[in-house]
Amino acid sequence: MEAVLWQTLAGTRGGPNRARILSALDDRPRNANRLADDLDLAYNTIRHHLDVLEDNDIVTSADEDYGTVYLPSERARKHWDTIEDIISQLEQ
């Protein structure tokens, strides 16, 4: 999982935005529209990053058709120290 986290959050051009999204979801679960507003990113950008994070089991969602709420997955929670290390390195 650590390699997946490093690649997803730090190994690509979109990694910093994915890290911001994950930090925001740690603070409070939200839907894509709220994330777009809170992080001042385009809705389509948020959707793309949420799909990448969900495909890699870093976030999970409530199975709703409209206004799906996202939060960090249990797997991500187990490796939260690694996530914090990645985020702190991205902020430098």
Side-chain angles (χ1 to χ4, degrees), residues 4 9 11 14 17 23 29-30 32 36 42 45 49 54 62-63 66 72 77 81 87 90:
V4 170
L9 301 177
N17 277 334
S23 291
R30 311 164 206 222
T45 300
H49 291 307
E54 198 165 30
D63 292 327
Y66 179 79
R77 291 273 179 217
D81 289 343
I87 290 170
L90 290 173

Side-chain angles (χ1 to χ4, degrees), residues 42-80:
Y43 176 82
N44 288 340
T45 300
I46 292 290
R47 287 289 329 136
H48 167 74
H49 291 307
L50 285 171
D51 289 343
V52 171
L53 290 167
E54 198 165 30
D55 289 346
N56 286 285
D57 195 27
I58 299 171
V59 300
T60 189
S61 64
D63 292 327
E64 299 175 16
D65 289 335
Y66 179 79
T68 301
V69 175
Y70 295 86
L71 63 152
S73 69
E74 286 300 316
R75 190 172 176 204
R77 291 273 179 217
K78 290 178 184 174
H79 297 276
W80 201 257

Side-chain angles (χ1 to χ4, degrees), residues 19-35:
R20 288 179 60 210
I21 291 167
L22 192 55
S23 291
L25 294 175
D26 179 47
D27 182 44
R28 181 179 83 232
R30 311 164 206 222
N31 65 26
N33 192 46
R34 173 57 61 196
L35 281 166

